Amino acid sequence: MQTDSSFTFVLFGGTGDLSMRKILPALYEAHRAGGMLADSGKIVAVARHVADRADYLEWVNEHVKPHVSKNGVDETAWASFLDRIEFVKIDLGKAEDFALLRDALSGRPGIRVFYLATGPSLFVPICRALASVGLNENSRIVLEKPLGYDLKSSNAINDAVGEIFAEEQIYRIDHYLGKEPVQNLLALRFGNVLFEPLWRREWVESIQITIAEELGVEARGDFYDNTGALRDMVQNHLLQLLSIVAMEPPHSMDSDSVRDEKLRVLRALKPIDPRDIGKVAVRGQYHSGVIRGSAVPAYATEPGVKPDSTTETFVAVKVEIENWRWAGVPFFLRTGKRLADRVAEIVVNFRAVPHSALGASALRGGANRLVIRLQPNETIRLYCLAKQPGEGMNLASVHLDLAFDRFFREGQMEAYQRLLLDVINGRLALFVRRDEQEAAWRWVEPILDEWAASHKPPKPYAAGTWGPAAASAMLAQHDTCWLEEEN
Ligand code: BG6
């Protein structure tokens, strides 16, 4: 991916957690790899609590370096990476400070990227201040989630940003879309003839998409307590994964062809009737428990969390898609903090054979199953039945295993690295378009409203388990179970 297009990457929130853990390490990796970033490309960090460039570089050395590269830091590359970094001290509350930024950016070649790694309440003031000094021309703006709290607040941000930047200048990040295995899902579906004929209601019984985390809310208790798992993970990451699993083949991989198809799925999600929410959505909150041998505290005692909080740290929800391909096929989405394992995977359960001459075991649903493991250890497994060796015709489950690290030893790219390169190079396909975001909010809102109105507390689950039992009961109603319950 050679490039010679120059850029200036302006990082608002330059000393924030995201800059430290994700953005600067990703830019370093792209720099170290060579040929991905134009030599003349610069990073301009914007922060308030840092005196000057020397101070900022000290902060970068101290805080960013430990997050860089699993394989150790290449000191030569690190030194030349620091040469790319400049610094402008701006108080984001003072619109007049933006003249400093305008002066610092004037006369530079190439595109300007403004990355807003700040709280969402600053998105609109920053955009307005940029426009007031003419910096909205020849530029792209990157917005981190959460983009709003509900449809109304997300529309308010999008309307205000949309008055300043055209939609094709706006890059809404959902980092799940930058993950290598998610890209691979597109390759698997649309690069092969094998799966597509089966990828429909006639042959698929149900689909599960799980993003399970062992971590709790870490230092983000304050933020999380006002957010909850539905807004934090379902409205964005899980619905985006669902749309990629369920979309029709796009006619090309250009930005709008892919996003149009994803949008069609999001618009076809069957609206949830508030009266059914108890049947199709489960929310939970973790209590204390044990994860990998260590005791962990209850959510309600985490710093920043209200002791009587009713915020959900777990959601399982049944989704249906109202179109010819998927009508009647349940998609079960699930996510939670402090669960038994860290795993993100998509499970496609195929239907049983219509008639078995080989005995009852061949009539079991789920005998054919595709398991796409997104993380950790990216693999794709195709489960089939085979004859057990020996006398008689006894069937047993076996699988074909595709472990990507066996085929591709090098070249894996972190999500943020891919997405930042896409922004710099003007590729929008992996960013969420406004209409997609609206459709996703529209679908989750009745659940949010009903939960808020019901005043019922979330169901408790012990940390280190797979969430409330009700999540299993919901699948049992469809004669199925979560993948880990099979084993
Ligand atoms: C973020 C959420 O978007 O995704 C976090 O805000 C969550 O709460 C994270 O932990 C999970 O991402 P990943 O890439 O670690 O699975």
Side-chain angles (χ1 to χ4, degrees), residues 29-50:
E29 287 300 340
H31 169 83
R32 188 191 56 84
M36 290 183 178
L37 298 176
D39 291 343
S40 57
K42 293 284 181 197
I43 300 162
V44 176
V46 174
R48 183 169 51 156
H49 300 297
V50 173

Side-chain angles (χ1 to χ4, degrees), residues 145 175-176 179 213 220 232-233 237 337 375:
K145 69 179 264 286
H175 77 280
Y176 262 76
K179 291 188 189 258
E213 297 185 88
R220 300 157 76 222
D232 190 41
M233 300 292 288
H237 306 322
K337 299 225 177 258
Q375 65 187 29

Side-chain angles (χ1 to χ4, degrees), residues 353-461:
V353 293
H355 162 76
S356 174
L358 299 173
S361 53
L363 284 172
R364 214 162 29 96
N368 292 144
R369 161 181 297 148
L370 187 69
V371 179
I372 302 160
R373 167 71 68 101
L374 306 177
Q375 65 187 29
N377 311 328
E378 179 188 342
T379 46
I380 296 183
R381 280 190 173 170
L382 180 60
Y383 287 81
C384 310
L385 291 179
K387 181 189 168 299
Q388 270 180 359
E391 207 189 355
M393 179 57 87
N394 296 318
L395 302 184
S397 178
V398 294
H399 55 259
L400 303 169
D401 216 343
L402 172 59
F404 288 94
D405 56 0
R406 257 191 268 144
F407 286 90
F408 308 109
R409 289 188 192 280
E410 281 172 16
Q412 299 275 343
M413 216 185 245
E414 284 292 320
Y416 270 93
Q417 185 180 340
R418 168 175 297 102
L419 294 173
L420 296 183
L421 289 170
D422 279 0
V423 179
I424 291 169
N425 294 307
R427 294 186 287 255
L428 272 160
L430 301 181
F431 296 84
V432 180
R433 215 168 50 191
R434 177 175 178 167
D435 45 13
E436 291 178 77
Q437 200 178 44
E438 279 182 28
W441 274 122
R442 200 160 275 129
W443 185 79
V444 297
E445 241 178 16
I447 311 178
L448 288 171
D449 292 347
E450 181 61 22
W451 283 351
S454 78
H455 298 296
K456 279 197 209 134
K459 294 187 190 319
Y461 63 96

Side-chain angles (χ1 to χ4, degrees), residues 109-240:
I111 193 82
R112 293 186 289 246
V113 172
F114 297 111
Y115 196 114
L116 308 197
T118 63
S121 60
L122 291 172
F123 290 174
V124 174
I126 293 176
C127 288
R128 290 197 175 131
L130 288 172
S132 73
V133 293
L135 285 175
N136 52 333
E137 303 292 328
N138 188 31
S139 57
R140 302 184 180 130
I141 185 124
V142 188
L143 304 177
E144 263 293 337
K145 69 179 264 286
L147 221 140
Y149 185 75
D150 51 18
L151 180 60
K152 192 166 163 229
S153 55
S154 131
N155 275 345
I157 296 177
N158 279 324
D159 284 345
V161 175
E163 280 171 18
I164 295 162
F165 293 95
E167 180 63 27
E168 58 277 11
Q169 291 176 283
I170 304 175
Y171 290 68
R172 295 179 193 83
I173 285 232
D174 183 312
H175 77 280
Y176 262 76
L177 293 182
K179 291 188 189 258
E180 194 81 56
V182 177
Q183 300 292 290
N184 236 322
L185 181 57
L186 291 169
L188 183 82
R189 283 199 59 198
F190 304 130
N192 297 291
V193 77
L194 286 178
F195 300 107
E196 201 47 29
L198 302 178
W199 211 258
R200 55 190 62 252
R201 64 188 303 282
E202 288 80 357
W203 301 108
V204 174
E205 194 167 64
S206 67
I207 293 185
Q208 300 173 11
I209 309 180
T210 293
I211 304 179
E213 297 185 88
E214 285 180 13
L215 287 179
V217 289
E218 306 297 288
R220 300 157 76 222
D222 233 351
F223 155 78
Y224 195 87
D225 209 32
N226 289 310
T227 305
L230 193 68
R231 290 186 176 92
D232 190 41
M233 300 292 288
V234 179
Q235 186 274 340
N236 34 63
H237 306 322
L238 278 165
L239 286 182
Q240 283 292 325

Side-chain angles (χ1 to χ4, degrees), residues 325-337:
R325 188 187 280 266
W326 294 118
V329 176
F331 285 69
F332 298 106
L333 311 186
R334 171 176 65 157
T335 185
K337 299 225 177 258

